Each structure stands twice: as structure tokens, then as C-alpha cells.
């Protein structure tokens, strides 16, 4: 099983700032934890981070026909990007949206997710563990 894990803008700064909201774990810690889980489960993970919306669109398209699922934290593009929504709709690769923080308990502008309208599942407020839960959801997803 092959899963693409995508992180959007500023998530490379995890652990560096705002630990009260996003926790103390760094981006490197997150990837190490996910790769360890994947190795235990025999899953192939491809983990990528970018600050650029179009790069996320390119990567989602790349997953088509090559990956069994996508776990994505689109960062702030969650709340603005119809391009990401269209990409997930187009590729028909089961996609789980993950947010480290509980976006529903924050500013009202964080309570809209465009990409979420095309995702098979959304996980919010479970910290870095939410990414593992996203992979687990895809492991159980019909057809996988
Ligand atoms: O809770 C999440 O995972 C978010 O997707 C994170 C985004 C935010 O815009 C979304 O509303 C919710 C922001 C990521 C910024 O990450 C940072 C991490 C450490 C320090 C500064 C920013």
C-alpha cells in the first residue's frame, strides 16, 4: 500500500513557534513517527511539504493511479483553495484531511474547509497523532 502525506504552508515550522496551538513536535519528528508506523505496517509513505498551492495541486495529480490514498494537511489553503478541492475531486484518490488543532474551536474563518468537501474523512484537533489516524482510516478504506 502506498500513501502520500502532504503538508502545506508553514507546517515546516512545527515545534519552532506556537507550541500552545500545534504542540512541541517538529516537522522532522512528525515524519519520523509516521515512517516508523508505516514500516511496522508494511506501508510505503511518501511525505512532502510545500508552501506553494500549485505545488500541492501538482502532487495531488501525481498521486492519481500511483497511490492508494492521500493524507493532507493543507494548512491555511484549507480555508481558501477551490483549486485543491478540484484537484482532490478530479483524481479520485481517497483523501483524508488532517488538522493538528481543533479548527472548529478557533477563528470563524478556520471553520470553512473547501478541500474537505471532496475528502473521505476529516480529523481535527488530535495533534500529530491525527496523521496516524488518517493513515489508519485509509488502511481500512474499502478497496485498500
Ligand atoms: O491545525 C492545523 O493543522 C492547521 O491546518 C494549521 C494551519 C492553519 O492555517 C489551519 O487553520 C489549521 C497553520 C499551519 C501553521 O503551522 C505553524 C506551525 C508552527 C508555527 C507556526 C505555524
Amino acid at each position: 500500500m502506498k500513501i502520500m502525506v502532504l503538508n502545506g504552508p508553514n507546517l515546516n515550522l512545527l515545534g519552532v513557534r506556537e507550541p500552545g496551538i500545534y504542540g512541541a513536535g517538529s516537522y522532522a519528528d512528525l515524519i519520523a513517527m509516521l515512517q516508523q508506523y508505516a514500516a511496522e505496517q508494511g506501508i510505503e509513505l511518501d511525505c512532502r511539504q510545500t508552501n506553494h498551492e500549485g505545488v500541492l495541486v501538482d502532487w495531488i495529480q501525481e498521486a492519481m493511479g500511483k497511490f492508494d490514498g492521500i493524507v493532507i494537511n493543507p494548512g491555511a489553503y484549507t480555508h481558501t483553495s477551490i483549486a485543491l478541492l478540484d484537484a482532490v475531486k478530479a483524481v479520485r484518490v481517497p483523501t483524508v484531511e488532517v488538522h493538528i488543532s481543533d479548527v472548529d474551536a478557533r477563528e470563524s474563518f478556520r471553520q470553512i474547509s473547501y478541500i474537505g468537501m471532496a475528502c473521505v474523512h476529516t480529523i481535527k484537533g488530535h495533534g500529530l497523532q491525527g496523521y496516524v489516524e488518517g493513515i489508519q482510516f485509509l488502511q481500512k478504506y474499502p478497496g485498500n
Side-chain angles (χ1 to χ4, degrees):
M1 182 178 194
K2 277 182 74 172
I3 294 178
M4 191 182 263
V5 177
L6 300 181
N7 276 286
N10 297 308
L11 287 154
N12 54 314
L13 298 177
L14 277 176
V16 176
R17 283 180 40 229
E18 307 202 71
I21 300 176
Y22 301 114
S26 68
Y27 179 74
D29 294 337
L30 168 66
I31 301 310
M33 175 182 75
L34 297 183
Q35 289 292 6
Q36 187 184 328
Y37 176 77
E40 286 162 11
Q41 297 288 317
I43 298 169
E44 193 180 325
L45 276 196
D46 187 338
C47 301
R48 310 178 188 187
Q49 188 276 331
T50 179
N51 293 327
H52 304 279
E53 183 178 8
V55 174
L56 287 170
V57 171
D58 289 343
W59 288 345
I60 292 166
Q61 290 186 10
E62 194 184 322
M64 189 168 31
K66 293 194 190 134
F67 286 81
D68 303 299
I70 300 171
V71 171
I72 184 167
N73 183 344
Y77 293 138
T78 305
H79 319 298
T80 61
S81 180
I82 294 166
L84 291 181
L85 166 63
D86 287 345
V88 171
K89 268 190 184 169
V91 298
R92 296 166 173 266
V93 177
T95 300
V96 177
E97 173 191 20
V98 173
H99 298 288
I100 300 166
S101 65
D102 181 3
V103 282
D104 291 337
R106 299 180 65 190
E107 302 96 323
S108 56
F109 62 80
R110 293 188 204 276
Q111 289 163 29
I112 290 172
S113 169
Y114 289 104
I115 191 171
M117 296 172 194
C119 289
V120 295
H121 189 47
T122 297
I123 296 162
K124 311 169 189 179
H126 294 186
L128 300 187
Q129 191 60 27
Y131 291 81
V132 176
E133 292 170 21
I135 295 168
Q136 289 170 335
F137 187 89
L138 290 170
Q139 285 180 283
K140 291 187 203 135
Y141 195 74
N144 277 345

